[in-house]
Amino acid sequence: TPDLVEQGETGFVFPVGDVDRLASCMQGIRAMVKNQKVRERIRKKIDAYSIQTSVRNLREALGRINGQN
């Protein structure tokens, strides 16, 4: 998901059903995880994630869409 994945920085997002793109992304991940700084960046992203924060952010976004904020 975009809130966890920074394309090419902490992972890859690809279109559903695009097997060639999936294979390419998997090769990219293999190369990325060999880099200690990239692993640390990924770990920070994962550690900062929480379902509570995601729900709060989603509610705020929906509130803005609905004109509540």
Side-chain angles (χ1 to χ4, degrees):
T1 64
D3 57 332
L4 289 176
V5 177
E6 296 172 43
Q7 189 72 7
E9 297 294 323
T10 59
F12 298 93
V13 177
F14 59 93
V16 173
D18 189 339
V19 178
D20 292 332
R21 183 74 178 127
L22 169 60
S24 175
C25 290
M26 290 174 72
Q27 290 176 341
I29 290 292
R30 284 183 61 201
M32 287 174 64
V33 298
K34 292 178 183 178
N35 182 312
Q36 178 66 30
K37 289 183 180 184
V38 172
R39 288 197 312 269
E40 290 171 4
R41 197 171 28 220
I42 292 169
R43 174 51 51 200
K44 284 181 184 180
K45 193 78 148 162
I46 291 169
D47 289 345
Y49 178 83
S50 76
I51 193 68
Q52 293 84 4
T53 300
S54 294
V55 169
R56 185 182 68 241
N57 291 341
L58 179 58
R59 284 183 176 163
E60 288 174 6
L62 291 173
R64 285 191 297 274
I65 290 169
N66 292 324
Q68 296 175 358
N69 283 356

